[in-house]
Amino acid sequence: MSSDSSAPKVWTPPSHIEDLYARTAGNKFASTNAPTAGARNDKEVPVGTAPFQLYSLGTPNGAKVGIILEELGIEYDAHFVSLGGSQFDKGFVQINPNSKIPAAVDLDGPDHQPINLFESASIMLYLAEKHGKFLPASPRLRTEVISWLFWQIGGQGPMTGNFGHFFVYAPEDQIEARNYGVARYGMETQRLCDVLDKHLKDREYIVGDEVTIADFAIFPWFNMLRIGSGYKHPSGVIGGEFLGVSRYHNLNRWAERIAARPGVQRGLQVCTGGVGKPWLEKPASL
């Protein structure tokens, strides 16, 4: 950091945010960051022969949909999407205008017509409702599942992801910003883990006595923290150890139960290593 004694001691925003864009240079995803939406080329997406087409990457958000698809055991094609720019291909943007994974097309949608799907929790809810699994019939339990699903989308995912960004991917020279970001989002990630740990004290699953889409949605983000390679800083410090997630005994017990499911194990592999289904396919990139 600069030692210039004339540097301002209190932050004041410039006239326009564009004056700050250069400060984001050096983060891992800087080459694709932009303040505008839309396609950047005319490339189409591949389409397989299965009724359900998934376009994704094996991040926690992507893994949610991979898990429910494998747990449902339905026929689907999985297409690997590189975040180096493939999310801005014309074909992908036509499916998801927000250019984020996962996205999908159900070729046998309502009235047997194709329907585009995006946002991980929305896709999970759609699949659970269509196939009548992993969503309780009881209105009370169903409402609880949806509450936890929204909790994951609004809290656990964004907060854990922001912690990971500042911990691993933010520009290396932004030391004060990284300290603030890691402290802010790391503390909130710990709090959210504590929410789960207390909730799971006398429970085997997030809601009720059976596994639901709430479990499948929450698991990948905590799993990112509990596995040794999750959010590993170049110095060798591992995010989960840094946050001390081993202290959350109830949460870890639940995670081990979910991780033991064969469908979950396959779902975590979907769209990883450059392929859709690594246990079946040879590497191919979208």
Side-chain angles (χ1 to χ4, degrees):
M1 300 298 293
S2 173
S3 59
D4 184 359
S5 61
S6 65
K9 303 300 182 183
V10 177
W11 185 78
T12 302
S15 300
H16 304 284
I17 189 174
E18 287 79 4
D19 296 333
L20 296 175
Y21 284 170
R23 298 296 297 271
T24 67
N27 85 78
K28 183 177 179 180
F29 308 104
S31 63
T32 60
N33 289 345
T36 55
R40 300 182 185 178
N41 59 55
D42 292 326
K43 187 175 181 180
E44 300 294 341
V45 294
V47 180
T49 59
F52 195 90
Q53 301 292 305
L54 173 68
Y55 303 91
S56 192
L57 180 66
T59 65
N61 278 334
K64 296 180 215 173
V65 178
I67 286 171
I68 190 173
L69 285 168
E70 285 298 320
E71 286 279 347
L72 286 170
I74 65 174
E75 186 181 358
Y76 74 99
D77 292 314
H79 307 282
F80 176 84
V81 178
S82 167
L83 294 188
S86 295
Q87 71 271 36
F88 300 109
D89 291 348
K90 176 184 175 182
F92 189 89
V93 175
Q94 288 175 336
I95 300 170
N96 182 2
N98 197 37
S99 294
K100 301 289 184 181
I101 62 94
V105 179
D106 186 358
L107 299 174
D108 185 26
D111 301 319
H112 303 292
Q113 297 299 311
I115 187 169
N116 294 335
L117 305 166
F118 57 94
E119 291 297 329
S120 57
S122 176
I123 300 173
M124 296 181 80
L125 187 58
Y126 172 86
L127 288 168
E129 289 181 331
K130 178 176 181 177
H131 296 281
K133 293 188 69 176
F134 307 122
L135 187 63
S138 159
R140 180 176 296 276
L141 293 179
R142 183 181 188 278
T143 298
E144 288 184 31
V145 167
I146 293 174
S147 292
W148 280 104
L149 194 63
F150 280 38
W151 175 89
Q152 193 283 313
I153 289 295
Q156 186 207 29
M159 295 300 106
T160 308
N162 278 317
F163 161 73
H165 175 81
F166 282 99
F167 190 73
V168 180
Y169 303 120
E172 294 182 359
D173 61 344
Q174 299 290 324
I175 298 173
E176 291 184 9
R178 290 188 74 158
N179 280 337
Y180 177 83
V182 168
R184 168 70 180 89
Y185 294 111
M187 183 188 297
E188 180 63 3
T189 299
Q190 288 178 317
R191 189 190 71 81
L192 293 169
C193 286
D194 197 44
V195 169
L196 289 171
D197 194 61
K198 287 181 167 64
H199 177 72
L200 288 163
K201 180 179 179 181
D202 299 311
R203 294 178 171 88
E204 291 191 359
Y205 300 105
I206 298 295
V207 176
D209 298 324
E210 296 181 358
V211 69
T212 69
I213 54 175
D215 298 281
F216 297 154
I218 291 169
F219 170 77
W221 279 103
F222 180 66
N223 191 55
M224 172 70 80
L225 296 176
R226 80 184 189 102
I227 60 176
S229 59
Y231 288 141
K232 185 175 182 179
H233 186 268
S235 67
V237 179
I238 296 172
E241 295 178 358
F242 178 78
L243 295 176
V245 298
S246 61
R247 79 186 78 176
Y248 305 112
H249 301 295
N250 302 317
L251 179 52
N252 278 285
R253 171 180 49 80
W254 163 85
E256 290 170 1
R257 178 179 297 109
I258 302 302
R261 299 175 66 94
V264 171
Q265 293 171 10
R266 290 192 304 274
L268 289 173
Q269 297 179 59
V270 173
C271 292
T272 61
V275 299
K277 298 179 181 179
W279 61 95
L280 298 177
E281 304 178 29
K282 295 179 181 179
S285 178
L286 176 62

